Structures are given as C-alpha cells and as structure tokens.
Amino acid sequence: MTTNAHVLPPKQAAAAENTSASAKPTSPSDRTGLGTPFIVIGCILLVAICLFPFWWMSLSSIKTLRELYTIPPIWWPAAPTWGNYHKVLFESNIPRYFLNSVIISVGATGLALCLAVFASYGFARFDFKGKPLFQAFVLVGQLLPTAAIIVPLFVTLRVLGLVNTYWGLILVYMIITLPLSVWMLTSYFKAIPVELDEAAIIDGASRVGVLFRITLPLSTPGIVAVVVYSFVTTWNEFIFALCFASDSSVKTLPIGLAEFSTEFNTDWGAVMAASVIMTLPIALLFLSMQRLFVGGLTAGATKG
Amino acid sequence: MSRQSTGYWFILPALVVLAMLIAYPVAYTGLLSVTDSQSNFVGVKNFATVLRSRATPQAFWNTLYWVGGSIIFQVLLGTATAILLNQSFPGRSIVRSVALIPWVIPSIVAATTFAWMFHTEFGIINYMMTAPGLIEQPIGWLTNRDTVMPVLIAINVWKLFPFVAVMVLAGLQSIPKELYEAARVDGANFWEEVRHIMLPQVRPVLVAVTLLLVIWGLNSITIIYAITRGGPANSTLITPIQIFRIAFENVQFNQAAALSVMFFAVAILIVFFYIKALAAAPGEAR
C-alpha cells in the first residue's frame, strides 16, 4: 500500500499526456487517458483490496493467542512469535500433507503435460476425420459440473482400488487440467510455422523427433503457462481431495488446513500459519512465472 | 504412413484418459440415478425422493443467487480493473502483479482467512465498521441468514475478479490504435472511448469469460463448504453442496446421482440459452 501511494508523483500529472511517460509505447492510453486522481485512487484501492487479506493472514500468524483475541485489534504484535509455525510444523500432520501435495501436484502436472503435448501437436498439425468432434469432447471436459461427476468418479476410483492412493488423485487432477492445457498448447503450436516441421522431416526426422527437437523448444512460454496452470490448480484443489483422500497418508494441504478449523473450536493462529505455509510456494511460483503464464493463457483465449 | 492416422495416434492417449474418467462416469451417473444401492432398477424413485426434499428448491434458488450475484460483480470489478491497468503509469507492472494475488491464493486459504476477518467478536471487519460508527454493534456476518450469502459472494468476487481483469486487459491491448486516433479526431473524451471503443471491442472476451464464470460458479463448492457447509438453516446451500452432502454425508449415492442428472440438465440448459442469447446479439451491437 505505502509503496504505491507515491507511485505517481504530482509532476507526472503533467507528463501523463506525454508519450515519454508511457511505460509501453504500444499502449493506447498515452492519448486520452483516465485522469491522474482516478488512477491514483484506483491503484490504492486495488492494491488494498488485493493485499489486505493476505497481510492480515500473515500478521495473525505471528500473534500470540492473547493478541489474536483483543479488541481493538493489534496492528503490530509487541513480540512477534513463531509459536504458531512451530505448532504447525512440529505438532501436526501438515509437513506430511505438504509432501503429499508436492507428490500429487508434480505427478498430475507432469502427466497432464505429456498427454497435452501429444494431443495438442496432433490437433495443431493434422487434419483427420472427426477432429472437430474430438476437440469439442476435450472442451466439454472443461464444462462438466464437478458436482455432477464427483459421485461416479468416486465409484469408479473405488472399483479401480484407487481411493486413498496418490494415483487416484493424480489421475483425477490430470483430467481436470488436461482440457485447458490442450487448448492453450494447441494455439501455441499453431503459431509455429509448419515449414519448420517439413524441413526437419525432409532432413530425416520423425514426427516425434520434430515435436521434441523443434516444436517444444520453440514453445517454452506455452509449456510454462501449462505447467503453472496445472500446478496451481492441483495444489489448490479441495473438494476432490476431500472425497478421494480420507487417509492421512494421502491427504493434501487444503484438507489439512480445513482440519484445523472444526465447527466449535478453531485455532486461528495455527490456521493462519498453515495458510501462509500453503500460500507462499504457490505465490512465489506464480509471481515468478506470471508474465509467461498470463501470456499463454490469454493467447489461448483471444485466438481460440 | 498417412497424415490421417498419425494425427489419431497423437491425440489417442489424451482421449482415452478423458473417456475413462469423464465419459464413463457421466454414463455411470445416469445408471446410478435409476437404481438402488443393490443395483436394482427403481425407475424415477430416486428423482421423486430428491424432489420431495424441501432443501432441493431452496438450493436451486440459492445457486442462482450465488452464481448471478458473483458474476455481476466479478465482471464489473474485473472490467474496471482492466481499464485502470490499461493506462500507462509508473509502477503499473507492480500493481498488475499484486492484482493477481487473490486469484492465486488457494480457495480454502481465502475462505479461512475471510472467515477470520468476518469473525463476529474478533474480526477486523466488524472492528473497522464499529470503530468509525458505521454500524452500532458487531454483526454476525456468517451466522446471520441475511448477511451470510452476500458475504460469501463478496469472497468469491474477490477471488475471481483478477481473472476477468487479465482476460479483458488482453482484449483491450489488442484494440487497433487507429480506433483511438479516429475517436480523438472526433473529440471523444476518455469515458466516450470506454463506451464506444473499449467495451464493444472486448465484448467477445467478456462473453467467453462470463461463460467460464457461469461454469465455475456452478462448480464451486470450496468457499461455501469451508465456511458454512450450506448453513445456517440451509441459507447457503447450493445444489453442488447438496449433492455432495447427500452422497458423502448421508451416503445415498443413488439419490445424489439423481440430483446430479437434474443439475447437469439445468446447467446445460443455462449454458445453452446463454450461448444462444449471445450468438443473437452481436449483429445488433455493431
């Protein structure tokens, strides 16, 4: 919040109309623009709305029990404590759940990426009978209401003996992220000139060789976008994990977090500490890859 | 090796997996809905049982309230954010990154954090409203039947408006510069540009995004389930949660399947009419 209060010094007001002040020359807004007061107030509000809950969560995680239950609330704890983190890290199942989440997220992301790479290449480079139908089928996967398939999926997993196993959740998460991954990668592959493929094939490369030596290296941003999307989705998913993983050997972090708060008694300090532990890795991954991710996502949407 | 068959081999693995874990379960839902727990055929008995439950119509209206309320504010706030972030100003990329944070925070974390902030006695929200005298007494946001749904909708809006913003921003940046130049020659001010250039040009993006939001809204359970589980007194019970509770709390898979079938049918109808309504509209818009 404070970093953005001075983001637009008064002298910029005059420069706002000026092309030299624009961060991006292609942006249209260096012509007529929203007035500076609007921009300043808008940015402050936006940043406050987006960050405040995150900040309050972090702050609550380093308060003592007494400080948590004080009115008026304490804006900065007198003696920040790591007690809540200690409780979460050493006296609960959270580390185990963290490991489970990593295994399941990495597994599902890797598998979804493999399948999506081949399927997208097939869709981007070949014409075959029934292709629109198959593409529609892939998209329907995105449209299905979760609630409508959760029961039969549970029954299916039970028949396959995959309830309460890593593989069960990996399979389920893979199909959740597969449709959008195929969608994003197909538009990326289409943007790569087909002449490159043809030249490589004349030089004796196989189709799969072309895919791995030419298409994939040229679509790194698309791959990154798919990986981030799959990983974030899988890491954050709650409902399927709640249904398909009731044993603590496979439970994921979101389930662990929900377990801290029971109906009658919630250890808010521990919950907030666990929330921070769960959010930090994903936020760091996302923010470091953000540019590539947003590019991949919106390319798929605006061209598709 | 014909091109035709090579293409099939590339897409086959993905199709097999999707068929196994989507097509099969969907077909299986249909079967479950007309049988009992011993797999005997019982006709529409499960449907009748579910429809007789007083919770069913209430959950239906709650679902419409939840989806409709969420979408209106997600789209309004998201579009406003996109227009703001489309401006050039120093520090724009920082603000843009920060604006994505709600989207990346796990739903369950958002739910618990807001539950703490809306806590009746020790929540920061009640304090911020009672201290300057906006309200006389702390409100039981999550326990009062009149306030609980609007609060849950607000959390859902907070979670997803960044997604709308990202998509609309991409749409805004693909608008040809000539359109703005022409408008400037005609002496248009900023708000006229918003109305006559930006909004019409991002219309296709808004349509696609709204459709996704409808689907996600119909799908989302996490925020509501984590905070209220559908209570108090079923005031936040939406159909997906009702299905979940019939299946996994009452262990009535067949009734849950019957409700799933009806929910699926209504969801498809809504999506269908939505697409039709929008397909008819662009002609008059241009």
Side-chain angles (χ1 to χ4, degrees):
Chain A
M1 234 163 97
T2 44
T3 52
N4 282 281
H6 57 260
V7 116
L8 209 69
K11 62 174 179 186
Q12 292 292 351
E17 294 281 289
N18 195 324
T19 321
S20 65
S22 71
K24 219 176 156 195
T26 52
S27 170
S29 35
D30 44 7
R31 283 167 196 82
T32 64
L34 197 57
T36 308
F38 273 115
I39 294 181
V40 173
I41 294 170
C43 285
I44 292 174
L45 268 180
L46 183 65
V47 170
I49 288 173
C50 293
L51 276 190
F52 185 78
F54 186 71
W55 184 67
W56 195 244
M57 168 176 103
S58 314
L59 197 66
S60 301
S61 73
I62 52 169
K63 285 181 178 177
T64 59
L65 208 59
R66 181 198 292 268
E67 284 169 332
L68 276 172
Y69 300 107
T70 302
I71 286 292
I74 290 166
W75 291 91
W76 188 254
T81 168
W82 297 106
N84 294 315
Y85 287 92
H86 190 274
K87 200 184 293 172
V88 169
L89 289 174
F90 298 104
E91 294 160 36
S92 79
N93 273 336
I94 288 289
R96 175 69 209 233
Y97 297 166
F98 193 97
L99 180 69
N100 292 342
S101 272
V102 170
I103 292 172
I104 290 167
S105 302
V106 169
T109 302
L111 276 177
L113 182 67
C114 286
L115 291 180
V117 161
F118 281 102
S120 306
Y121 190 75
F123 282 133
R125 284 291 187 258
F126 298 95
D127 271 320
F128 45 86
K129 216 185 276 173
K131 179 166 135 177
L133 189 74
F134 291 133
Q135 277 183 304
F137 177 64
V138 170
L139 268 184
V140 164
Q142 190 69 25
L143 304 184
L144 274 183
T146 316
I149 62 164
I150 201 159
V151 173
L153 211 47
F154 179 77
V155 178
T156 311
L157 288 183
R158 204 169 53 181
V159 169
L160 295 172
L162 292 177
V163 174
N164 276 327
T165 63
Y166 286 145
W167 277 112
L169 281 182
I170 288 176
L171 277 177
V172 168
Y173 289 153
M174 181 176 71
I175 59 159
I176 299 178
T177 57
L178 193 53
L180 195 61
S181 302
V182 172
W183 193 33
M184 289 200 278
L185 273 187
T186 304
S187 74
Y188 249 95
F189 289 172
K190 273 188 183 158
I192 297 170
V194 72
E195 288 76 19
L196 291 177
D197 293 34
E198 285 159 2
I201 286 174
I202 290 169
D203 288 345
S206 68
R207 270 292 172 189
V208 177
V210 172
L211 172 57
F212 279 96
R213 292 212 207 113
I214 296 180
T215 314
L216 282 189
L218 286 176
S219 35
T220 316
I223 303 284
V224 172
V226 167
V227 167
V228 173
Y229 161 75
S230 301
F231 197 89
V232 171
T233 307
T234 309
W235 186 266
N236 295 353
E237 206 285 329
F238 175 68
I239 292 298
F240 283 120
L242 188 65
C243 299
F244 305 149
S246 51
D247 193 276
S248 59
S249 62
V250 287
K251 277 183 188 171
T252 56
L253 269 181
I255 308 303
L257 187 61
E259 279 176 354
F260 269 108
S261 40
T262 59
E263 204 164 331
F264 304 104
N265 182 23
T266 299
D267 185 345
W268 285 107
V271 169
M272 292 301 122
S275 298
V276 171
I277 291 171
M278 185 177 165
T279 306
L280 273 187
I282 207 77
L284 291 178
L285 170 79
F286 184 86
L287 290 179
S288 60
M289 302 285 177
Q290 188 227 116
R291 202 165 281 273
L292 288 173
F293 173 70
V294 170
L297 184 77
T298 49
T302 47
K303 284 175 205 156
Chain B
M1 170 172 101
S2 78
R3 286 174 70 84
Q4 176 107 356
S5 61
T6 319
Y8 280 125
W9 286 110
F10 275 103
I11 64 165
L12 192 67
L15 282 184
V16 169
V17 169
L18 285 175
M20 194 175 80
L21 289 152
I22 291 181
Y24 174 74
V26 168
Y28 201 83
T29 316
L31 187 67
L32 277 177
S33 69
V34 291
T35 54
D36 65 13
S37 53
Q38 268 80 46
S39 304
N40 302 312
F41 179 78
V42 293
V44 295
K45 187 165 157 268
N46 292 320
F47 289 86
T49 313
V50 168
L51 283 175
R52 263 202 305 275
S53 161
R54 265 180 46 203
T56 306
Q58 194 182 354
F60 177 79
W61 293 117
N62 284 343
T63 309
L64 287 188
Y65 182 15
W66 161 254
V67 174
S70 296
I71 286 175
I72 290 171
F73 292 105
Q74 281 161 353
V75 169
L76 283 179
L77 196 57
T79 309
T81 304
I83 290 174
L84 175 70
L85 295 180
N86 191 39
Q87 302 291 301
S88 320
F89 55 88
R92 176 173 73 161
S93 62
I94 299 171
V95 178
R96 241 149 103 164
S97 301
V98 167
L100 287 172
I101 284 182
W103 187 27
V104 77
I105 285 189
S107 293
I108 184 78
V109 169
T112 43
T113 303
F114 275 98
W116 169 233
M117 286 167 58
F118 278 106
H119 194 283
T120 310
E121 289 163 84
F122 305 108
I124 184 73
I125 307 246
N126 266 339
Y127 172 73
M128 291 202 309
M129 295 183 83
T130 45
L134 286 175
I135 51 174
E136 304 235 319
Q137 284 196 337
I139 295 176
W141 297 102
L142 299 171
T143 48
N144 184 324
R145 277 204 272 169
D146 298 326
T147 56
V148 63
M149 191 59 122
V151 166
L152 292 177
I153 287 176
I155 300 170
N156 197 30
V157 169
W158 181 83
K159 186 79 184 60
L160 279 179
F161 86 89
F163 170 76
V164 181
V166 167
M167 301 305 255
V168 173
L169 183 58
L172 286 175
Q173 294 189 334
S174 67
I175 297 176
K177 266 195 269 182
E178 293 76 33
L179 286 178
Y180 293 102
E181 280 157 12
R184 264 196 61 147
V185 171
D186 292 344
N189 66 27
F190 178 76
W191 298 108
E192 284 163 346
E193 282 186 4
V194 170
R195 238 187 86 204
H196 299 294
I197 298 177
M198 296 189 193
L199 292 184
Q201 288 282 318
V202 297
R203 194 191 151 90
V205 178
L206 282 177
V207 169
V209 165
T210 311
L211 183 62
L212 263 183
L213 290 176
V214 171
I215 293 158
W216 288 349
L218 290 173
N219 267 342
S220 54
I221 312 185
T222 305
I223 289 174
I224 298 184
Y225 189 82
I227 298 180
T228 67
R229 298 195 170 215
N234 285 353
S235 57
T236 60
L237 186 77
I238 60 171
T239 305
I241 290 184
Q242 195 194 359
I243 294 174
F244 180 86
R245 288 176 63 167
I246 294 176
F248 293 96
E249 287 175 16
N250 308 348
V251 204
Q252 299 281 354
F253 285 144
N254 302 89
Q255 287 175 24
L259 187 56
S260 298
V261 168
M262 289 187 276
F263 177 62
F264 194 29
V266 174
I268 285 182
L269 266 184
I270 292 173
V271 170
F272 175 76
F273 279 118
Y274 177 81
I275 292 174
K276 255 199 113 166
L278 290 165
E284 56 173 66
R286 275 166 212 176

